[in-house]
Amino acid sequence: TLEGVKDPEGALVVCLWDRDAKFPNCEKGEPVKRIVLPATAKAATFEGISDGTYAVSAFHDANGNGKLDTNFIGMPKEAVAMSNNPRLMGPPRFKPALFEVAGQTAITLRFQGM
């Protein structure tokens, strides 16, 4: 489920990762799956995922430009979310976002920031 999106404009970009290379950068990395949903969506579903260990990253593309906007020091200017909902203090890390998928697995992403 997706929680905490404050603005109904734009889109939500949700990415599923099985390794930390370029995590959480959905534009430059190679996530296992990438979903783009309306900003009003309350859930995202990844189909055809094998059991294993994964992480999810997401951002609210409020202005619809297809990328996560950042300020001059690289801090997000748009809301972001990670699996396990770690408090984001500095760059997101892969390991704190890891969770196990075994059959149907449900998690909640809480967007932080803008």
Side-chain angles (χ1 to χ4, degrees):
T1 57
L2 306 168
E3 297 180 352
V5 177
K6 297 175 183 160
D7 183 354
E9 300 299 317
L12 302 178
V13 179
V14 185
C15 294
L16 181 72
W17 303 84
D18 63 354
R19 57 191 163 156
D20 65 353
K22 307 260 191 220
F23 175 86
N25 192 328
C26 289
E27 301 92 49
K28 295 180 182 174
E30 294 181 14
V32 174
K33 299 262 184 172
R34 181 179 195 265
I35 300 173
V36 179
L37 303 163
T40 55
K42 300 297 180 199
T45 302
F46 293 107
E47 301 285 341
I49 301 302
S50 301
D51 289 357
T53 304
Y54 297 93
V56 174
S57 66
F59 70 93
H60 179 197
D61 181 17
N63 61 7
N65 68 354
K67 64 179 187 167
L68 175 63
D69 295 324
T70 59
N71 65 16
F72 69 98
I73 60 170
M75 300 272 303
K77 292 170 62 177
E78 297 175 302
V80 296
M82 306 291 154
S83 44
N84 297 326
N85 301 300
R87 183 171 165 89
L88 298 175
M89 302 294 286
R93 304 281 185 237
F94 183 67
K95 285 187 179 183
L98 288 173
F99 65 98
E100 291 295 320
V101 170
Q104 288 188 340
T105 303
I107 65 169
T108 298
L109 297 179
R110 290 184 188 92
F111 284 81
Q112 304 174 40
M114 308 304 285

